[in-house]
Amino acid sequence: MNYSHFITAVSAARKASPIRLLTELMQKSPPSLISLAGGAPNPNTFPFKMATITTGDGTAVEIGEDLMKRALQYSASAGIPELLSWLKDLQKSLHNPPTAKYSPDQGQMEICVTTGSQEGLSKVFEMLINPGDNILLDAPTYPGTLAALRPLGCNIINVPSDQHGIIPKALKEILSRWSPEDVRKHNSPKFLYTIPNGGNPTGTSLTTDRKKEIYQLARQYNFLVIEDDPYYFLQLDKPWAPTFLSMDVDGRVIRTDSFSKILSSGLRIGFLTGPKPLIDRVILHIQVSTMHTSTFTQLMIAQLLQQWGEKGFLEHVDRVVEFYRAQRDAMLAAADKWLKGLADWHTPAAGMFLWIKIKGVSDTQQLIMEKALQKEVLLVPGGAFNIDSSVPSSYVRASFSLSSPAQMDQAFQRLAELIKEAI
């Protein structure tokens, strides 16, 4: 694929930092090398000497003095080697991307670690979007995405969706404004952004057949697919759906993954997978912004993953899924008990959200932001997830991640009282 017409002039102008290259070179060098080149501080002067982190299953992650010196030091912008290696093996095992066997210029699969998947997303957007570019997404969607996109001056085209995600027929209709033969000349959409599993806020998951149809349209109209999948590991039913990455024969999928929902949201470890020519551009941006994700948190995660192995990691994921499945079922039971006849909803197959349509209420903004607080119940009004947040929405988003089943029951009882008063 020719990636040059996808990237912005700013991204194309990025050059590797000589100091960053030296840092990475030093880390690959033998101990006999005497380097007077680095600008790294001496770790012997740091106050932290060692650490032991104990996990819930009793696994101890030991960071001794030597490893601690490395953990507290600068590291490669793409990520530390052992974590990158583990993640590459994981992606090959879970997704078997066709691009894993490609050459770099063909769009070979590449990975970099990011400070949460949000950093990866925002840097991908900045790499691709010029003011006036057309991009596709299915709203309502994650407000963090909309907040990252709006200042870039792109035209956001909303693709209709239902409880099974983007509707390919609707996408095809939108794309019919452009001719496949000369798409790049007439400002055709540069990319489609979607959350394929447990969409935030809707809880919807794209079906395999729809993904295949969407990918074929991406090939026909030559746009990239940004597969933002932070809830991939929170799919509540097996088998897990095939990903866009697993279908990517062209090297046109950029995928974001996150450990925030399954290992820790505060450690800020995410990773980008995509064609090497594009991931390399993101790494150049990282070099001059965050420089790299925290070496300490990367080492801590890498040590744990190496001890667990892929089997142990997926067993942990199964335990997390079991918890969220029970939480979802508790919320659905509370909704059935209190909201029947007052609201509509679909059972989410992944993620941590229930998307509720309130009957007889055209806009939930005032209902939630003013009256709900008086009833001591809080949800997110649906307008927050629209491309234009001022557009009325009859929906609310409820999260089942933190509240106990008893709290969910009480919350929906209060919401039911609120709806009855409103209508």
Side-chain angles (χ1 to χ4, degrees), residues 1-3 102-109 250-251 275-277 280:
M1 272 185 70
N2 177 11
Y3 297 105
Y102 290 8
S103 65
D105 58 326
Q106 283 180 305
Q108 180 186 66
M109 182 194 92
D250 293 338
K276 183 173 171 56
D280 284 351

Side-chain angles (χ1 to χ4, degrees), residues 235-258:
Q235 293 181 75
L236 305 177
D237 302 301
K238 286 190 176 176
W240 288 350
T243 58
F244 281 111
L245 185 67
S246 71
M247 304 171 185
D248 188 21
V249 292
D250 293 338
R252 66 173 66 251
V253 173
I254 304 174
R255 177 181 169 80
T256 71
D257 281 281
S258 174

